Amino acid sequence: MSSVESKVISDRVYDPLTRSLVLTFQNGKKFKYSGVPSEINDAFEGAPSAGGFFHAQIKSMYGAEEVT
């Protein structure tokens, strides 16, 4: 798990074997995004704005399911 400095996202976990990205949001909700390439995860990790990157490159590009 990686802490994220963001007003939107608090934690993220990426699994390169399954290409899944699990994001925990500041409101406590957790979502799993499937089919995320490692290049996108690497760019996300280095992005100056985690929330901005999420909205532009992840949110509408990859299937998501809420993790309970």
Side-chain angles (χ1 to χ4, degrees), residues 14-15 18-21 32-38 40 61-63:
Y14 181 70
D15 183 345
T18 61
R19 295 178 13 146
S20 63
L21 176 65
K32 177 181 175 182
Y33 295 84
S34 301
V36 179
S38 60
I40 294 293
M61 306 295 250
Y62 301 97

Side-chain angles (χ1 to χ4, degrees), residues 11-64:
D11 291 303
R12 66 179 186 82
V13 177
Y14 181 70
D15 183 345
L17 296 177
T18 61
R19 295 178 13 146
S20 63
L21 176 65
V22 178
L23 299 177
T24 304
F25 293 87
Q26 294 291 354
N27 65 6
K29 290 190 177 189
K30 191 181 284 194
F31 288 87
K32 177 181 175 182
Y33 295 84
S34 301
V36 179
S38 60
E39 297 83 15
I40 294 293
N41 180 65
D42 293 345
F44 183 37
E45 186 175 312
S49 169
F53 188 90
F54 165 73
H55 285 288
Q57 300 292 326
I58 296 171
K59 185 176 181 181
S60 63
M61 306 295 250
Y62 301 97

